[in-house]
RNA sequence: GCCACUGUGGCUUAGUUGGUAGAGCGGCUGAUUCGUAAUCAGCAGGUCGGGGGUUCGAAACCCUCCAGUGGCUCCA
């Protein structure tokens, strides 16, 4: 982060003439980035942007993308660059070319470095549309961009470095010599414009940094992330398996994994109880009539597991828990005094994710949501959502020690109301209907047949501002995303940043007007009138699978002791000390501590080596001294060893577990 | 679902241009009774993802299906 120094500049003066610092690569003038080589459009002050600044880094990577396209087009005849933007931590370029294998990345990278070392000037050139069309006549992708983005009679810019020219609005670093630390990372394929039917393109991912040192640091982090892959750690710790032949995409939890899972379930059960959420239990299968009524069949049938019995009745396995909770809610009439009614359940759902989409615990075909549905009055939305946000903050503070959360509020796009469920009012007879119209449909008033129906967004507005109020009352920062709302209502998504700086989407809080209408869920208000409830869907972990994956990657498997499947791994130095070891083990078990005794007759070294990958919280070794002193020799996760009295060890563990401590006490 | 890559015993893997599989870890057996990341020896374990084809001969080449990985699309 460099200081926001400001430099005076006069109209027509080149930015480069006003600065000396070689690290400055672009100028920010009135909020817009300019190449150093360009001139100020008017008098004013500009901020010099350095390589290391966030915006500078983006520019650097964008330039690196050009360098990549430059190298590829010079190596592969007929390769047609499409687009190559910077990304959060690097860049990519989509190129039409024959498929290549990742073995060729080093070759391309070498070419990039070769071009960079030529210290080519990167020039910005402005041309009219006709000239642009001539320049890119051989590249139909660029011609499409010109056709769409450059109006007739206007101009746009290209950037040239040596013999390579790319259509681009820039800005870029002044010369290729800035691109010293570039690295190609992976190869993927994509379709033109992200359209499934679009032409297949080769996408090459890479990254760039101001210097080799920070690039190396990034690569180390990347490697660390790879080592922390929950699929790998989960196998090492023996937590779950996937049997890709028998159940592709379905996790099976082993005994250790089930301990972890149950710890998380137990935590949520307690949190729910403390916050007035009743636990319920619902079937995994419902008749198809249920899914027709809920609307799931209409929208999600192809990703549901459906089947038919011999007598012809149709069923489906649940892809969501809401209908079950709704069914329980419906069993009795509700007064306005009863609300909110809150049902929660670790609800296992099954969704047929398409073959290319499944992967590990983050995208399985079976997962268990820490699901909750609150049935509330409209005036209760704010307080209910506020309470849920509090539960979210508590949960992640407990799980991660310090929760680095970001909030997103997804709201309706009022310029594009198609596909949202909204109230329409007939202009002629004032009849109100609830509908989700698509662009093909046109609505007709069921009462008078008029087609003049006006959307009424009052309820959406009220719900959205309720969510906004709840967020503000919690004093958290949030961003709003227009058009990201669910079709049935606005929602809040919560993201967590992990130890490696990666952001994961976890919690979600959604306001739903749809299901209460589909199922006609009502309460009797104080005036004796029937009103529709509002449903609030909430998941805090998101799913048990996902939170487990995140915990494993965040902690590199070294889970806080309260969550750790093996809290104590205990083994004697030799069989002679087994009786005392068993006594210690039993006392630990009696104290509620998950102790696992290793009877194998191996050397201590070997036993530790064999069991370390299971990440026990503590390793306890019992030998002659321990037997003599009624003590234990304890090794913690960091590898520090300490001898202590058995009771001292048990007290330490109990405190650590009951306070859900993330760190272990230090051994002096 | 689309594109690319990959698929060898429980795990990690070797296998040059095709000549019917090697290893380490783990497992088992025996010896060793051992002090915080490698004690020794022996044994068992593989229809090289499935099926089809080419060939005198296929783990290797071709086709096809399945699965995994990385992306795209999707994610209620």
């Amino acid at each position: 982060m460099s200081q926001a120094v400001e430099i005076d500049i006069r109209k027509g003066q080149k930015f480069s003439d006003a600065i000396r610092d070689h690290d400055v690569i672009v100028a920010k003038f009135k909020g817009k980035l300019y190449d150093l080589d360009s001139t100020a459009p008017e008098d004013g002050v500009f901020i010099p942007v350095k390589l290391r600044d966030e915006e500078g880094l983006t520019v650097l990577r964008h330039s690196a993308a050009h360098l990549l396209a430059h190298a590829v087009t010079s190596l592969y005849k007929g390769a047609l660059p499409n687009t190559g933007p910077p990304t959060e931590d690097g860049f990519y370029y989509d190129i039409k070319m024959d498929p290549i294998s990742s073995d060729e990345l080093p070759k391309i990278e070498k070419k990039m470095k070769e071009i960079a070392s030529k210290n080519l000037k990167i020039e910005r050139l402005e041309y009219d549309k006709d000239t642009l069309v001539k320049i890119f006549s051989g590249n139909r992708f660029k011609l499409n961009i010109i056709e769409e983005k450059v109006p007739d009679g206007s101009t746009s810019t290209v950037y040239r470095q040596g013999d390579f020219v790319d259509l681009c609005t820039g800005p870029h670093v002044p010369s290729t010599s800035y691109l010293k630390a570039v690295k190609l990372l992976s190869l993927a394929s994509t379709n033109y414009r992200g359209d499934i039917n679009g032409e297949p393109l080769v996408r090459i991912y890479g990254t760039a940094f101001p210097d080799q040192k920070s690039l190396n640091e990034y690569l180390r982090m990347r490697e660390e992330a790879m080592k922390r892959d929950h699929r790998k750690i989960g196998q090492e710790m023996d937590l779950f398996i996937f049997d890709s032949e028998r159940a592709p995409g379905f996790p099976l939890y082993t005994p250790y994994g089930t301990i972890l899972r149950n710890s998380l379930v137990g935590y949520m059960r307690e949190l729910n109880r403390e916050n007035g959420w009743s636990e319920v239990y619902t079937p995994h299968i419902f008749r198809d009539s249920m899914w027709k009524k809920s609307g799931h069949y209409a929208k999600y049938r192809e990703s549901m597991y459906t089947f038919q019995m011999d007598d012809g009745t149709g069923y489906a396995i649940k892809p969501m828990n809401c209908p079950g909770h709704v069914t329980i809610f419906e069993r009795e009439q509700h007064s306005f005094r009863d609300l909110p009614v809150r049902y929660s359940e670790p609800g296992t759902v099954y969704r047929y994710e398409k073959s290319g989409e499944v992967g590990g615990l983050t995208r399985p075909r079976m997962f268990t949501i820490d699901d909750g549905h609150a049935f509330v009055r409209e005036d209760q939305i704010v307080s209910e959502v506020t309470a849920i946000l509090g539960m979210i903050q508590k949960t992640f503070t407990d799980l991660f020690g310090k929760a680095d959360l970001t909030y997103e509020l997804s709201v309706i796009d009022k310029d594009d109301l198609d596909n949202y469920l909204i109230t329409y009012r007939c202009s002629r007879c004032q009849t109100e209907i609830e509908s989700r119209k698509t662009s093909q449909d046109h609505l007709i008033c069921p009462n008078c047949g008029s087609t003049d129906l006006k959307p009424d967004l009052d309820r959406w507005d009220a719900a959205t501002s309720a969510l906004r109020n709840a967020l503000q009352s919690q004093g958290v920062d949030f961003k709003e995303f227009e058009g990201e709302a669910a079709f049935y209502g606005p929602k809040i998504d919560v993201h967590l940043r992990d130890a490696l700086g990666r952001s994961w989407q976890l919690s979600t809080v959604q306001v739903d007007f749809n299901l209460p209408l589909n199922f006609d869920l009502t309460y009797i208000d104080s005036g004796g009138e029937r009103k529709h409830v509002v449903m609030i869907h909430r998941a805090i972990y998101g799913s048990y699978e996902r939170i487990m994956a995140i915990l494993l990657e965040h902690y590199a498997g070294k889970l806080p002791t309260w969550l750790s499947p093996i809290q104590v791994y205990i083994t004697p130095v030799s069989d002679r000390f087994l009786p005392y070891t068993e006594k210690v083990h039993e006392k630990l078990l009696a104290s509620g501590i998950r102790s696992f005794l290793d009877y194998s007759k191996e050397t201590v070294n070997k036993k530790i080596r064999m069991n370390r990958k299971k990440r026990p919280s503590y390793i306890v070794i019992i030998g002659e001294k321990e037997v003599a002193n009624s003590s234990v020799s304890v090794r913690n996760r960091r590898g520090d060893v300490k001898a202590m009295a058995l009771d001292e060890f048990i007290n330490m563990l109990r405190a650590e577990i009951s306070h859900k401590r993330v760190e272990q006490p230090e051994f002096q």
Side-chain angles (χ1 to χ4, degrees):
Chain A
M1 291 289 165
S2 66
Q3 304 237 345
V5 275
E6 295 192 336
I7 298 174
D8 288 312
I9 191 152
R10 286 186 320 280
K11 180 176 175 177
Q13 193 188 357
K14 261 194 185 181
F15 291 104
S16 58
D17 291 341
I19 49 133
R20 279 156 318 228
D21 191 340
H22 182 75
D23 277 353
V24 174
I25 50 163
V26 286
K28 189 171 187 178
F29 185 80
K30 302 206 186 262
K32 228 185 114 186
L33 296 178
Y34 289 84
D35 292 295
L36 292 187
D37 215 26
S38 50
T39 54
E42 53 191 286
D43 290 358
V45 292
F46 74 91
I47 298 165
V49 177
K50 296 186 178 188
L51 268 183
R52 248 159 256 284
D53 298 334
E54 204 180 313
E55 287 168 311
L57 213 46
T58 304
V59 169
L60 176 76
R61 287 165 178 167
H62 188 183
S63 300
H66 278 217
L67 181 63
L68 167 60
H70 189 167
V72 169
T73 49
S74 76
L75 285 171
Y76 301 89
K77 290 259 170 329
L80 300 179
N82 176 27
T83 48
T87 60
E88 201 182 328
D89 56 359
F91 62 88
Y92 65 83
Y93 215 118
D94 288 346
I95 301 170
K96 175 71 197 173
M97 62 194 292
D98 290 331
I100 54 170
S101 101
S102 53
D103 304 344
E104 304 192 43
L105 291 183
K107 186 172 86 184
I108 299 170
E109 199 177 296
K110 197 175 150 215
K111 189 74 183 176
M112 288 169 74
K113 285 178 175 155
E114 190 188 308
I115 296 168
S117 67
K118 284 184 188 160
N119 191 13
L120 300 172
K121 189 169 163 37
I122 300 179
E123 288 176 279
R124 174 192 173 91
L125 303 162
E126 188 163 351
Y127 294 112
D128 60 36
K129 188 168 180 177
D130 292 343
T131 313
L132 291 174
V133 168
K134 261 181 225 142
I135 295 173
F136 294 101
S137 59
N139 186 326
R140 58 186 187 275
F141 303 104
K142 297 291 179 189
L143 289 176
N144 283 349
I145 300 171
I146 295 168
E147 205 41 61
E148 283 168 27
K149 298 267 179 71
V150 185
D152 287 340
S154 72
T155 65
S156 189
T157 56
V158 303
Y159 279 77
R160 184 171 76 193
Q161 52 195 50
D163 58 358
F164 176 76
V165 180
D166 202 349
L167 179 74
C168 184
T169 53
H172 282 280
V173 296
S175 83
T176 59
S177 65
Y178 285 83
L179 301 162
K180 280 188 273 254
V182 291
K183 177 87 188 159
L184 296 184
L185 297 171
S186 65
L187 196 60
S189 80
T190 180
N191 297 86
Y192 184 52
R193 300 202 161 156
D195 180 352
I196 282 181
N197 301 313
E199 247 185 288
L201 303 172
V202 172
R203 174 174 292 186
I204 301 173
Y205 282 90
T207 192
F209 281 86
D211 54 72
Q212 195 61 38
K213 201 176 149 214
S214 32
L215 173 61
N216 289 345
E217 178 57 28
Y218 170 81
L219 293 175
R220 248 204 310 284
M221 283 290 266
R222 216 175 112 87
E223 211 166 298
E224 178 63 23
M226 229 117 80
K227 272 194 279 186
R228 287 186 184 207
D229 188 317
H230 70 274
R231 289 167 292 203
K232 187 173 152 64
I233 291 180
Q235 189 188 64
E236 287 173 359
M237 292 176 71
D238 192 19
L239 300 176
F240 52 83
I241 57 164
F242 284 92
D243 186 321
S244 59
E245 295 295 321
R246 295 173 179 163
F250 297 86
L252 286 83
Y253 292 92
T254 57
Y256 290 136
T258 304
I259 293 173
L260 170 56
R261 204 168 178 284
N262 283 345
S263 302
L264 292 164
V265 170
Y267 178 88
M268 192 50 64
R269 185 164 279 151
E270 182 60 13
L271 185 73
N272 279 325
R273 194 189 58 73
E274 286 167 1
N275 286 275
W277 290 75
S278 323
E279 189 162 336
V280 294
Y281 192 86
T282 59
H284 286 213
I285 297 173
F286 285 92
R287 289 276 294 272
D288 51 9
S289 51
M290 166 65 108
W291 306 111
K292 283 172 188 161
K293 188 163 188 180
S294 70
H296 285 94
Y297 250 34
K299 200 167 156 66
Y300 298 112
R301 179 161 189 173
E302 78 288 355
S303 48
M304 287 168 67
Y305 291 96
T306 59
F307 60 97
Q308 219 173 36
M309 299 307 290
D310 286 345
D311 65 4
T313 46
Y315 289 85
I317 305 172
K318 65 174 170 182
M320 290 219 288
N321 299 301
C322 348
H325 294 186
V326 164
T327 304
I328 295 174
F329 180 81
E330 280 178 324
R331 78 191 185 285
E332 57 187 7
Q333 285 210 336
H334 296 273
S335 139
F336 68 98
R337 284 186 245 270
D338 301 338
L339 305 182
V341 167
R342 308 185 185 92
Y343 296 147
S344 73
E345 174 180 14
T348 303
V349 299
Y350 299 80
R351 297 178 185 176
Y352 178 73
E353 302 287 355
K354 294 193 190 116
S355 59
E357 285 157 359
V358 288
L361 290 183
T362 47
R363 197 79 187 269
R365 286 186 171 133
M366 169 193 97
F367 57 97
T368 302
I369 307 173
D370 60 313
D371 216 345
H373 296 96
F375 301 83
V376 304
R377 306 189 303 259
E378 222 165 303
D379 63 286
Q380 291 173 319
I381 298 176
V382 180
S383 60
E384 193 58 33
V385 173
T386 304
I388 294 169
L389 290 175
M391 290 166 78
I392 289 170
Q393 280 149 5
K394 176 170 169 34
T395 301
F396 295 123
T397 307
D398 281 343
L399 254 50
F400 294 91
K402 189 175 142 282
D404 188 355
L405 302 176
T406 54
Y407 297 79
E408 291 181 359
L409 176 59
S410 297
V411 305
I412 196 168
D413 178 0
K414 291 193 177 178
D415 295 328
D416 182 16
L417 293 177
D418 285 358
N419 290 316
Y420 293 110
L421 179 86
I422 39 187
T423 306
Y424 291 89
R425 184 177 290 109
C426 175
S427 306
R428 203 195 298 168
C429 69
Q430 300 305 309
T431 299
E432 282 186 9
I433 61 162
E434 302 282 345
S435 183
R436 206 175 121 216
K437 88 177 196 67
T438 62
S439 40
Q440 290 85 25
D441 305 336
H442 54 279
L443 298 170
I444 298 170
C445 175
N447 186 40
C448 68
S450 162
T451 51
D452 187 13
L453 292 151
K454 294 259 156 54
D456 176 0
L457 295 174
D458 285 358
R459 218 163 38 147
W460 272 84
D461 288 341
T464 305
S465 65
L467 291 181
R468 206 178 279 128
N469 288 346
L471 285 163
Q472 280 158 356
S473 77
Q474 291 293 291
V476 297
D477 284 333
F478 61 95
K479 283 193 201 131
E480 293 200 14
F481 293 87
E482 211 169 72
E484 294 296 306
F487 75 84
Y488 48 74
K491 61 173 182 175
I492 294 170
D493 290 324
V494 183
H495 297 245
L496 177 109
R497 199 167 279 280
D498 75 2
L500 296 177
R502 297 171 301 178
S503 187
W504 303 84
Q505 204 219 297
L506 294 164
S507 318
T508 177
V509 184
Q510 311 183 347
V511 178
D512 181 1
F513 308 119
N514 179 48
L515 280 181
L517 284 170
N518 285 359
F519 286 91
D520 197 26
L521 304 177
T522 57
Y523 65 94
I524 311 296
D525 76 2
S526 54
E529 210 181 316
R530 261 179 126 67
K531 291 230 168 112
H532 278 123
V533 299
V534 174
M535 272 178 80
I536 294 172
H537 306 246
R538 62 114 251 231
I540 295 174
Y541 295 141
S543 80
Y544 285 94
E545 285 63 24
R546 209 170 156 75
I547 192 69
M548 280 176 62
I550 294 163
L551 284 166
L552 289 174
E553 300 200 4
H554 175 82
Y555 286 112
K558 296 174 198 163
L559 298 168
T561 305
W562 71 280
L563 289 171
S564 179
I566 305 176
Q567 290 171 326
V568 174
Y569 165 86
I570 178 167
T571 195
V573 171
S574 91
D575 278 359
R576 289 189 292 143
F577 314 115
L578 196 51
Y580 175 69
T581 308
E582 281 177 327
K583 247 168 69 187
V584 172
H585 171 61
E586 273 153 28
K587 196 156 177 194
L588 287 166
L589 289 178
S591 306
I593 290 156
R594 297 190 284 266
S595 175
F596 290 82
L597 199 163
D598 184 353
Y599 286 94
S600 68
K601 298 171 185 180
E602 301 290 348
T603 61
V604 172
N605 274 337
K606 182 161 182 180
K607 284 189 280 197
I608 288 178
R609 173 162 34 91
M610 296 278 302
N611 286 282
R612 245 183 70 99
K613 64 179 174 34
K614 293 214 177 86
R615 277 97 164 167
S617 297
Y618 291 98
I619 293 173
V620 170
I621 305 293
I622 303 293
E624 195 157 10
K625 272 179 285 180
E626 287 70 35
V627 173
N629 305 332
S630 296
S631 66
V632 285
S633 172
V634 182
R635 171 173 160 147
N636 65 16
R637 283 195 297 260
R638 296 174 45 192
D640 301 331
V641 175
K642 187 185 181 185
M644 56 180 97
L646 177 57
D647 286 342
E648 185 191 348
F649 178 52
I650 289 176
N651 289 338
M652 184 193 86
L653 264 169
R654 279 178 149 167
E656 190 185 330
I657 292 165
S658 66
H659 291 105
K660 300 187 174 60
R661 293 212 177 101
V662 166
E663 301 287 340
Q664 293 183 324
E666 291 217 12
F667 288 178
Q668 305 303 340

